[in-house]
Amino acid sequence: MAIELVTKFKPYVDELFKNESKRDLMTNQDFTWTGAHTVKVYKISTSGMNDYDRAGTGESWSRYGAVAGLDATTEEFTLTRDRSFTFVVDRLDKDETGMQLQAASALARQLREVVVPEVDSYTYATMTANAGHKPDAVTLTNDNVYAEIMKGSEALDDAEIPEVGRVLLVNPATYALMKRSRDIVLDTDVGQEARLRGVIGILDGAAVVKVPSIRLPKNFGFMLAHPSATVDPLKMEDYTIHQNPPGINGSLVEGRVCYGTFVLDNKKNAIYYQEVSAAPTVQSSSKAGSKT
């Protein structure tokens, strides 16, 4: 006797886990591209200091010294990323999947799993490529990770980068070393708003943010940056759901996003990027203490 067992399909979709974007902590939106595809920004030079010629016996007619001219050059930022996607949700597919395949939820999934990770990766790659401080690659361990991070902090201090607002970006491997380092004690008493934005602690005044390695360049160690250095415009985000367009019985979903990332030349020293030469190394437990 043959018995056909019942198969049930639950009204549930096995969604992928995806992190929310945290790049707004590292960048700014100081410029607007509204009505333009290119923005030019002036760089103005300064004048050197002179000894005031109180007696007026110097070679210059001015007692203040030789009169210098100021340079006024421009930086040009042109949006180069004009990306799009499209897909169809057929009406029968929607009906015969128990209404689980719907255009609105599919669009939200596309943004979460495809669009946001792509923009994040482009932003972080641009920042690391244009960092003003890029020391030689090192092998990070739980014994040296604190000293290496402090080198970044020292470099930004010497470049007179504001101390308030700095962000330390790490991947899970580097964060694991920080947790094992006996020299690092993260201040985890951060506000709820900051925690919701992705801040997991404070180290030497910098907000610590952890990002999945898949969104970061290869051999990424850590990046210490001030958001004033990087402009991260999203000029256009346009997402449309067309119901029963010509030739399709169902929903046609279309999306377009135009974006870019630009590091200001006079502010590139506000980015310190440390590359690693090998996989992170965990030292023996006798040398390390676990910190939370």
Side-chain angles (χ1 to χ4, degrees):
M1 181 177 65
I3 299 177
E4 293 187 3
L5 301 179
V6 173
T7 299
K8 284 189 175 182
F9 289 90
K10 295 293 186 181
Y12 177 83
V13 178
D14 186 13
E15 301 283 8
L16 289 174
F17 289 115
K18 283 292 179 179
N19 284 29
E20 297 293 332
S21 176
K22 300 168 186 174
R23 69 180 183 278
D24 63 325
L25 290 165
M26 308 283 296
T27 61
N28 69 76
Q29 300 286 331
D30 289 349
F31 308 140
T32 175
W33 269 255
T34 302
H37 201 67
T38 299
V39 168
K40 289 187 176 182
V41 179
Y42 274 104
K43 294 190 298 181
I44 309 296
S45 65
T46 56
S47 175
M49 297 294 289
N50 305 304
D51 291 327
Y52 183 76
D53 184 10
R54 186 174 181 180
T57 58
E59 296 181 0
S60 173
W61 62 268
S62 171
R63 297 188 179 190
Y64 290 89
V67 179
L70 298 182
D71 295 326
T73 58
T74 60
E75 294 176 77
E76 185 172 294
F77 303 131
T78 301
L79 295 173
T80 58
R81 303 290 288 180
D82 193 356
R83 304 281 282 165
S84 60
F85 62 85
T86 182
F87 57 85
V88 169
V89 177
D90 188 271
R91 179 155 294 184
L92 269 184
D93 291 339
K94 176 181 176 181
D95 177 73
E96 294 175 355
T97 56
M99 307 299 287
Q100 295 305 300
L101 182 57
Q102 298 196 50
S105 59
L107 174 57
R109 188 178 302 111
Q110 176 77 12
L111 299 181
R112 182 177 67 253
E113 298 180 11
V114 180
V115 177
V116 169
E118 177 185 300
V119 178
D120 277 6
S121 295
Y122 182 80
T123 296
Y124 298 139
T126 302
M127 292 180 69
T128 56
N130 293 278
H133 305 279
K134 288 192 285 188
D136 293 337
V138 298
T139 299
L140 291 179
T141 69
N142 46 270
D143 281 343
N144 72 4
V145 64
Y146 180 68
E148 294 300 329
I149 292 174
M150 287 303 98
K151 289 180 184 178
S153 182
E154 181 181 349
L156 266 60
D157 287 344
D158 287 339
E160 300 187 279
I161 307 304
E163 295 183 32
V164 177
R166 295 181 187 178
V167 179
L168 175 64
L169 187 74
V170 299
N171 58 16
T174 301
Y175 182 63
L177 295 179
M178 293 171 62
K179 296 274 284 184
R180 291 176 177 269
S181 171
R182 61 182 177 180
D183 299 316
I184 294 178
V185 178
L186 283 181
D187 180 3
T188 57
D189 186 19
V190 298
Q192 181 67 12
E193 181 180 351
R195 191 171 295 279
L196 289 174
R197 295 179 66 193
V199 178
I200 57 177
I202 305 295
L203 179 63
D204 195 38
V208 180
V209 176
K210 182 174 61 173
V211 171
S213 296
I214 194 172
R215 298 191 190 184
L216 298 168
K218 185 180 179 181
N219 298 326
F220 183 94
F222 64 85
M223 179 166 58
L224 181 64
H226 194 279
S228 62
T230 308
V231 185
D232 189 39
L234 275 171
K235 176 179 173 64
M236 183 180 67
E237 291 180 277
D238 189 21
Y239 311 114
T240 307
I241 299 176
H242 305 278
Q243 297 296 338
N244 294 322
I248 295 174
N249 181 222
S251 301
L252 173 65
V253 181
E254 296 176 326
R256 183 182 180 188
V257 55
C258 183
Y259 64 93
T261 300
F262 308 99
V263 175
L264 296 168
D265 189 54
N266 281 346
K267 291 184 171 65
K268 63 185 180 182
N269 282 336
I271 303 177
Y272 183 98
Y273 171 52
Q274 180 62 66
E275 191 176 42
V276 294
S277 55
T281 302
V282 178
Q283 300 300 319
S284 63
S285 58
S286 61
K287 294 183 178 181
S290 178
K291 304 295 183 182
T292 57

